[in-house]
Amino acid sequence: MATSDPVYLRVVEDIRRQINDGTLPPGAPIPSRAQLTRKYQVGETAARHALRVLVTEGLVIGRVGSGHYVRERPILMPLHRWRFPEHPTPFAADLQTQGRRVTWEWQIDSTEATPEIARRLRLPLSAKLTRTRYLYRGEGRPLQLAISYEPVEFAAHLDEERRGVVARMSAHGVRITEIRETVHTRVPRPAEADALQLPAGTHVLHVERTHWAGERPMETSDIVLPGDRFRVTYSMPVG
Amino acid sequence: MATSDPVYLRVVEDIRRQINDGTLPPGAPIPSRAQLTRKYQVGETAARHALRVLVTEGLVIGRVGSGHYVRERPILMPLHRWRFPEHPTPFAADLQTQGRRVTWEWQIDSTEATPEIARRLRLPLSAKLTRTRYLYRGEGRPLQLAISYEPVEFAAHLDEERRGVVARMSAHGVRITEIRETVHTRVPRPAEADALQLPAGTHVLHVERTHWAGERPMETSDIVLPGDRFRVTYSMPVG
DNA sequence: GCCGCAAAGTTGGGGCTCCAAGGGTCGTCG
DNA sequence: CGACGACCCTTGGAGCCCCAACTTTGCGGC
């Protein structure tokens, strides 16, 4: 509103307003650089900068050779976190119950505990761990990345029996009593942006999941979801 | 890695690598525009663009007149979501238990249900609601925004007794049995960026909380947290 | 009526420059 | 010895330009 702030922000705010109030519906074209310079009486740098801000905010996408368009707001996919079916991760199972075809691939290797993972599993640094990397796809597109860590002694037959952590640990005589998950948001790492085919400006939801047997953490995993397409739902009983 | 991708990305990737592997620790200065042009043999535009990308990624902050510095990674504040103390929202209580002074202010007014809120509370459109807006502060800085909606008939004495939803509903003979929360991430709205004093490039965590009495939703609220400072933790018992 | 090609428009990378506002440093003056 | 000011450096806003790669459009010919 203030006439003192940068001119590119004036442009950004005007376009953002038009997107929010529906004047520019999803899919609608945004004026080009040349049109913006004329319409708002600004230089090319300001017009260009304004468009870049809108792109990194995720409100708009740019198509080379064509133009900028209001981004279609994808429907946020719900992931319900209070059922624990017999699946590698509840996420995939939950997605399937919504009538979506979800496929996943994984690869297993050995690694040593990094400071972060050692802390989470309460193990000494460079303890031997089995690491499993998952990539989930739905309708062809990548949906979710996950990396699971657990002590090597529990990982026998991991590649054959794809049962959930709870069931598999139980087969080793370990009773999982609790699952804790921590959700935060951050900028995707380059590898993640690549694997999940994230458009510029989107963030990811990072879910840190740990399976506990009483006071002992038994398995931990990092689950990375495109922030613009997922919402994670939790249920807690009261009283 | 590929020598074909834009030169500014080469610069970004090199600096990002140095930040990640600790060569550039938090607080360390990033080479200035002039130094980058010399060091990487690129034009000023590329150097400038590289710095901007690092800033919007949240890895680096720029101080006018001084330079760019590796951003101090704020310690992510945990908010544990499995205790329900007698406080307006569990968030504030949880923060306090960590030895932080948290203050909050609120204002109450009346409003009609928007499509979104009507859906969540299963009420007809434009049903009469009491809306309470909260702003939480910790150590002077704004921490969290929340807007709570509930049918007017439960809101008596809302401004006097600041008890939690569960306790207050119970006084009206309504037993809350379940709390559901949905977490997603998005770009802050301008008013939120302003109220929470969010630096450029940060996202927010948006928690949608609903209190249920059996199959009836009784209260719903939108809780907005700075994505770069908060992590939300949930616990689920197994078996 | 349809096809293909050329021209025009658009994005995104990159270059150069000027300038205001502010931080840092060092030396001089009181 | 301490305070203050000058000077240099840095960021961030803004302007203008060139070009490659790509999309869209419209026209002419078949």
Side-chain angles (χ1 to χ4, degrees), chain A residues 52-162:
Chain A
R52 178 175 291 279
V53 168
L54 290 167
V55 168
T56 59
E57 275 183 359
L59 284 174
V60 153
I61 55 164
R63 273 193 268 273
V64 183
S66 171
H68 285 90
Y69 301 87
V70 179
R71 188 133 161 252
E72 309 278 351
R73 273 220 154 272
I75 296 140
L76 288 171
M77 293 192 231
L79 291 172
H80 302 291
R81 312 295 287 124
W82 58 85
R83 279 174 281 126
F84 296 99
E86 294 305 302
H87 268 278
T89 82
F91 286 100
D94 192 43
L95 286 170
Q96 282 187 320
T97 60
Q98 295 167 46
R100 294 172 205 272
R101 273 185 75 90
V102 174
T103 61
W104 58 91
E105 46 207 73
W106 67 89
Q107 52 189 73
I108 303 174
D109 61 4
S110 283
T111 183
E112 297 192 339
T114 59
E116 167 64 10
I117 298 300
R119 185 186 60 73
R120 270 151 69 174
L121 289 181
R122 295 191 189 157
L123 291 172
L125 254 174
S126 70
K128 290 258 179 291
L129 296 176
T130 297
R131 173 173 60 187
T132 314
R133 278 183 253 238
Y134 297 90
L135 172 62
Y136 293 82
R137 293 174 197 279
E139 292 142 23
R141 295 168 64 197
L143 275 184
Q144 175 196 327
L145 281 174
I147 305 183
S148 161
Y149 300 89
E150 60 191 287
V152 278
E153 52 266 36
F154 295 111
H157 309 295
L158 188 59
D159 46 350
E160 294 165 22
E161 300 187 48
R162 296 308 312 151

Side-chain angles (χ1 to χ4, degrees), chain A residues 179-202:
Chain A
I179 296 175
R180 289 192 196 169
E181 295 195 355
T182 292
V183 186
H184 76 278
T185 180
R186 58 172 172 77
V187 171
R189 295 191 242 281
E192 293 164 350
D194 197 49
L196 293 174
Q197 291 171 25
L198 299 174
T202 54

Side-chain angles (χ1 to χ4, degrees), chain A residues 6-8 33 42-46 48-49 64-66:
Chain A
V7 292
Y8 84 89
R33 250 151 54 179
V42 297
E44 218 215 82
T45 310
R48 183 189 282 239
H49 193 11
V64 183
S66 171

Side-chain angles (χ1 to χ4, degrees), chain B residues 18-82:
Chain B
Q18 289 181 61
I19 294 174
N20 285 335
D21 72 17
T23 313
L24 288 171
I30 303 289
S32 72
R33 252 153 51 180
Q35 290 172 320
L36 287 178
T37 56
R38 283 196 296 276
K39 181 172 177 190
Y40 293 93
Q41 294 291 310
V42 296
E44 225 216 74
T45 311
R48 184 189 281 242
H49 193 11
L51 288 171
R52 177 176 293 278
V53 168
L54 291 166
V55 168
T56 58
E57 275 183 0
L59 283 174
V60 153
I61 55 164
R63 273 193 268 274
V64 182
S66 172
H68 284 91
Y69 301 88
V70 179
R71 185 131 164 254
E72 308 280 350
R73 273 223 155 269
I75 296 141
L76 288 171
M77 294 191 231
L79 292 172
H80 303 291
R81 312 296 285 125
W82 59 84

Side-chain angles (χ1 to χ4, degrees), chain A residues 192-213:
Chain A
E192 293 164 350
D194 197 49
L196 293 174
Q197 291 171 25
L198 299 174
T202 54
H203 279 215
V204 292
L205 281 175
H206 181 149
V207 180
E208 194 182 301
R209 184 191 64 191
T210 304
H211 283 83
W212 295 74

